[in-house]
Amino acid sequence: MSQPTVQAVFFDVDGTLLGLESRSMPDSTIEALALLKSKGIKIIISTGRSYEHARFLDTHGFDGFITFNGSFCVDAQGHPFFRQTIDKEDIRLLHDHLSEAGRFPVGVMTTEGSFICDITDDVTAIFELLKLNIPYSQSFADALDKEVLQLNLFVDEQKELYIVNHVLKNCDSSRWSPAFIDINAKGINKQVGMEQFLTKFAFSADQTMAFGDGGNDIQMLRAAGVGVAMANAGNNVKAVADYVTDTTEQHGIWNALKRYGVI
């Protein structure tokens, strides 16, 4: 059975567009993006990063950005057209938990900017891996009066389970690193961000292709017409993909687009 014509391709950033080892985009991916653009196919970033930390990719002519795992969508002109913040009661409950049960590092991404409380070696290592500057440090209490789009909790899986079930009950968690989890408003994920763009461009999901490698990519890969997992993806991600390609450095994006006849 032939695949529907692909009209839009969604790309995760870390471990997908940018190689986990090289922290850069290979020439084959740059050429693939240009070919997609020349064919009139929409190319859209889909990341857990902030728009501020993803917009450097705009030099490749992306048609939009899904950021904060679907919480904040921005068009090609840099104008936000969708956002979903975390329930303020959940922010208060997490503040109380940190005060009563012991602190751990929490990154706070708001509509005004980002900060982090308690910078540890794990925090430093993650930001060095991503080649990003560590946000300034301040008290989590400062989140109480902010509109929070996403939290990063530096906790293990056991602590994650407790927090999601007993503290952040109106939130969902996703993990692409053993060191931390992303926290977003319940029901928000990259698939939701994808749906915002499908509505905007009047495409259907079966006219899309999506690339990713992390737990926060699962819903997006499952929803896309063709979901492609990178070779470095976890088994839980590969299990929902239609195809597992090579790593970024091994030209995985180019190879998968060629395999499906998109370029």
Side-chain angles (χ1 to χ4, degrees), residues 1 16-17 35 40 44 52 55 57 68 76 80 82 88 93 108 115-116 128 156 172 181 194 204 207-209 253-254:
M1 192 172 88
T16 303
L17 280 176
L35 280 172
I44 298 159
E52 177 188 0
R55 65 186 304 178
L57 294 163
F68 296 130
F82 175 82
K88 286 184 179 294
L93 289 170
V108 182
F115 64 89
I116 194 163
E128 286 178 354
D156 60 23
D172 288 333
I181 56 174
M194 176 194 288
S204 62
Q207 294 175 301
T208 68
M209 195 168 181
I253 288 175
W254 174 273

Side-chain angles (χ1 to χ4, degrees), residues 13-193:
V13 175
D14 298 294
T16 303
L17 280 176
L18 303 182
L20 282 179
E21 296 177 9
S22 64
R23 302 309 313 159
S24 63
M25 196 185 299
D27 290 343
S28 63
T29 298
I30 294 170
E31 185 177 350
L33 294 174
L35 280 172
L36 291 171
K37 290 288 289 182
S38 72
K39 292 165 70 77
I41 297 170
K42 303 292 185 184
I43 55 173
I44 298 159
I45 293 289
S46 186
T47 181
R49 290 184 180 219
S50 66
Y51 179 54
E52 177 188 0
H53 284 154
R55 65 186 304 178
F56 72 96
L57 294 163
D58 204 29
T59 54
H60 300 284
F62 283 95
D63 295 288
F65 290 76
I66 298 165
T67 66
F68 296 130
N69 294 315
S71 294
F72 194 69
C73 296
V74 179
D75 67 18
Q77 288 72 47
H79 301 137
F81 67 95
F82 175 82
R83 74 177 187 177
Q84 179 61 60
T85 56
I86 292 173
D87 191 299
K88 286 184 179 294
E89 177 65 9
D90 278 27
I91 300 297
R92 187 189 66 76
L93 289 170
L94 180 58
H95 173 264
D96 293 348
H97 177 80
L98 291 169
S99 301
E100 295 162 6
R103 287 159 46 171
F104 50 81
V106 180
V108 182
M109 285 102 246
T110 78
T111 54
E112 303 168 21
S114 301
F115 64 89
I116 194 163
C117 63
D118 296 313
I119 296 171
T120 63
D121 290 343
D122 278 346
V123 173
T124 302
I126 285 293
F127 279 88
E128 286 178 354
L129 172 69
L130 299 178
K131 293 188 175 177
L132 295 174
N133 294 325
I134 299 175
Y136 60 92
S137 176
Q138 66 186 71
S139 168
F140 185 76
D142 292 333
L144 291 170
D145 62 351
K146 299 283 194 299
E147 290 192 308
V148 178
L149 290 158
Q150 181 169 287
L151 299 168
N152 297 136
L153 274 54
F154 286 76
V155 296
D156 60 23
E157 290 184 5
Q158 183 177 355
K159 184 73 169 176
E160 172 187 3
L161 198 61
Y162 178 85
I163 293 286
V164 172
N165 287 329
H166 297 95
V167 183
L168 300 175
K169 296 181 182 180
N170 298 302
C171 293
D172 288 333
S173 66
S174 57
R175 182 185 292 272
W176 66 264
S177 163
F180 73 96
I181 56 174
D182 291 337
I183 294 288
N184 299 94
K186 187 173 286 295
I188 289 292
N189 53 58
K190 291 185 179 184
Q191 178 184 348
V192 172

